[in-house]
Amino acid sequence: MKVIDAVWEKRNLGIDACEVLFEREDAVADISSEFERISAPYTVVKVPSERNDISEYVQKNGYRYIEDLIGMEHDLHDQVRHPLHQRLYEAVAYRSMTEEDYAVLQHEIQSGIFDSDRISKDLKFGKSISAGRYCNWVADLREQGAALYTMLYRQEPSGFIILLTKDGSCYQSVLGGAYRRYLKTGLGMVQKEQEIVKKLGGKKLTTNVSSNNPSQLKALVANGYVPVTVQHVFVKHN
């Protein structure tokens, strides 16, 4: 079990927060004393899906289930797409994000393009706090040197993708999405990160998706991702 002082969430949520990561080999008897001493105003607990005993244990301690976090991988194989999907794919271009593009992204986030994350679903927080958290997250990623790209449909910004890598081989698709006017056009099924990572010399792509976002999960599978891990996520407000 790892207990992390989530100091970054103080800025985002306005309260102290803690994150607890259970591991497959953890025994409840060995960690219960430390776990039950946690008293942060907001605590997030992630449990490997195969550990039903730990999931039951955290719920008995007042934590409530809020989502599954599904880890996905792509080996950058060439994907065969449905003809309509292929036409949309070919209609979308991309570029490295400009300052103007970045301003558009911040505006889109503040306008509510994300509504399936655990913060927006939490009645103690809601969509406004969630949007501010995403804006801060994107700003932090940019400062850390992440690669930000704007998706273009008919030469207009239609979405974005943010990539991170530690070794130039495995890339993480940290965050992405379609902009509001394109949310119901089918463009959300188009993913260019595989093409981008290939051109960068990468060999593998990873990402995470919430079970509260089935449309994104569908898009990931349609673009060749496969699920590799599932974590049950619980939260508690003290």
Side-chain angles (χ1 to χ4, degrees):
M1 181 182 74
K2 297 178 181 178
V3 181
I4 302 168
D5 181 8
V7 293
W8 62 91
E9 295 290 26
K10 177 73 172 181
R11 173 188 58 173
N12 296 329
L13 307 177
I15 57 176
D16 291 329
C18 176
E19 187 167 309
V20 181
L21 306 178
F22 281 99
E23 299 176 299
R24 289 182 179 88
E25 64 272 19
D26 285 335
V28 171
D30 295 336
I31 52 82
S32 58
S33 178
E34 181 183 3
F35 181 74
E36 291 170 22
R37 288 198 302 269
I38 295 171
S39 59
Y42 176 63
T43 302
V44 180
V45 175
K46 297 178 180 178
V47 181
S49 60
E50 59 268 36
R51 292 300 306 272
N52 290 337
D53 58 331
I54 296 178
S55 292
E56 290 182 9
Y57 168 72
V58 300
Q59 289 176 90
K60 287 179 181 177
N61 279 273
Y63 291 80
R64 63 180 180 85
Y65 171 82
I66 199 162
E67 67 178 352
D68 276 358
L69 192 63
I70 305 166
M72 310 285 287
E73 286 187 1
H74 200 298
D75 62 5
L76 304 185
H77 65 271
D78 291 331
Q79 183 68 15
V80 178
R81 303 178 183 85
H82 183 278
L84 176 57
H85 188 185
Q86 184 63 32
R87 287 198 295 273
L88 287 171
Y89 184 88
E90 293 171 356
V92 174
Y94 61 87
R95 68 184 176 214
S96 293
M97 192 171 288
T98 65
E99 287 295 329
E100 184 177 350
D101 292 336
Y102 182 72
V104 170
L105 170 57
Q106 292 282 326
H107 176 72
E108 289 287 332
I109 292 173
Q110 291 288 4
S111 298
I113 59 172
F114 295 117
D115 60 5
S116 64
D117 60 287
R118 61 178 166 82
I119 301 300
S120 65
K121 293 289 187 184
D122 194 317
L123 297 179
K124 295 281 188 177
F125 298 129
K127 293 181 179 180
S128 178
I129 289 177
S130 172
R133 181 173 180 264
Y134 273 112
C135 285
N136 289 337
W137 187 13
V138 169
D140 289 344
L141 288 167
R142 192 186 190 205
E143 186 174 324
Q144 293 163 15
L148 282 69
Y149 295 90
T150 293
M151 301 297 112
L152 301 164
Y153 179 68
R154 295 178 178 174
Q155 299 183 331
E156 292 294 325
S158 60
F160 76 103
I161 191 74
I162 300 177
L163 302 173
L164 271 177
T165 185
K166 294 180 179 179
D167 58 10
S169 178
C170 180
Y171 282 76
Q172 181 185 9
S173 177
V174 185
L175 192 62
Y179 292 157
R180 288 167 300 155
R181 64 179 292 192
Y182 300 101
L183 285 175
K184 297 182 179 180
T185 64
L187 289 182
M189 292 292 289
V190 175
Q191 296 180 354
K192 289 285 185 172
E193 56 262 40
Q194 299 90 343
E195 178 181 329
I196 295 169
V197 170
K198 271 188 178 181
K199 289 182 177 179
L200 293 172
K203 304 299 181 184
K204 185 171 74 172
L205 187 58
T206 68
T207 194
N208 293 306
V209 61
S210 169
S211 57
N212 294 330
N213 193 355
S215 60
Q216 177 63 4
L217 178 57
K218 178 181 177 181
L220 290 168
V221 172
N223 282 277
Y225 280 90
V226 294
V228 290
T229 61
V230 177
Q231 291 176 303
H232 300 321
V233 182
F234 304 88
V235 299
K236 184 179 183 181
H237 294 270
N238 287 313

